[in-house]
Amino acid sequence: MLLSIIRSHGADIGTVLMYILSILIIIFLVNPLHECAHGFVAYKLGDRTAKNMGRLTLNPMAHLDYFGAIMMLIVGFGWAKPVPINPRNFKNPKVGMAISALAGPVSNFLAAIAGGLIYNIINTILIKQGDLIYIHGTLYMSADYDPGILKYIFLFLTFFIFINICLAVFNLIPIPPLDGSKILMMFLPDRIIFKLQQYELYFAIGLFVLIGMGGVSEILTPIENWFYNGIIDLTSLPFSWAW
């Protein structure tokens, strides 16, 4: 993704820096939240594994996977160290795993919503001032007004929101070892779950191959765009009075 940003925006170093900054924020703030959400929900459902291993923390170093972080920076897709969860500690292992798995993508959606609120707060202030407004990638400004750093603030927020949506949607794919597979397993018989877990490594390799070929992006991009537009519109509702 970094290379595509560079190609599409040419020598605009500001845009590239905003993309890198958004990725770093996600690596050191949002990814720990994602993993901690898995462990916290599991803890509340009766599994103390993550807590006992010191993983119920927002300290980024406890969750950082260096290769996953590099991948996220370069291609916009990466991962942190998975939080350990023992389904045997749940009263209902399938339901407990599904709810714990869902907590991670939900945390990314919440981060995207937080970014959307900030995006719309800034927009509302600018509308009230009558100076400029940023709408879905286009900056509209009054005559002789220099937007300066505001353009890059909006770019940062756009990257931050969209990448969080991408991570949430991707993780909900029902293919092992992604979170979506654990949600799917809640509805499957044990013999099929065993087979899926047995071939998890092969599923992961196949998923990487599809990502490299661009097949996953072609399928997910329309869904991600729909969520992005929906979150921007949803988070604009509290500020609709300014329009």
Side-chain angles (χ1 to χ4, degrees), residues 43-181:
Y43 173 69
K44 287 298 183 180
L45 293 175
D47 178 34
R48 296 179 57 90
T49 305
K51 182 176 177 60
N52 292 340
M53 296 184 68
R55 296 295 301 277
L56 286 191
T57 174
L58 293 177
N59 179 359
M61 302 313 296
H63 306 284
L64 184 63
D65 182 294
Y66 291 101
F67 183 65
I70 292 170
M71 289 291 292
M72 184 172 289
L73 183 63
I74 295 174
V75 303
F77 156 75
W79 55 89
K81 292 179 183 176
V83 162
I85 295 175
N86 187 348
R88 294 187 182 91
N89 293 323
F90 299 134
K91 291 181 179 179
N92 187 322
K94 289 184 180 179
V95 173
M97 280 299 295
I99 297 174
S100 301
L102 182 61
V106 167
S107 71
N108 286 111
F109 278 124
L110 291 176
I113 290 171
L117 287 170
I118 297 171
Y119 177 107
N120 281 291
I121 287 171
I122 297 174
N123 245 358
T124 300
I125 294 171
L126 297 175
I127 292 168
K128 295 298 286 183
Q129 290 178 342
D131 288 328
L132 56 98
I133 180 174
Y134 195 79
I135 303 176
H136 296 296
T138 303
L139 193 65
Y140 300 92
M141 65 194 77
S142 60
D144 302 322
Y145 188 89
D146 180 8
I149 197 172
L150 283 171
K151 169 187 173 183
Y152 294 108
I153 292 175
F154 280 119
L155 278 172
F156 163 77
L157 290 170
T158 299
F159 287 136
F160 179 82
I161 295 166
F162 192 75
I163 294 168
N164 269 294
I165 291 170
C166 290
L167 292 171
V169 171
F170 180 80
N171 272 292
L172 287 172
I173 297 175
I175 298 176
L178 300 177
D179 295 329
S181 68

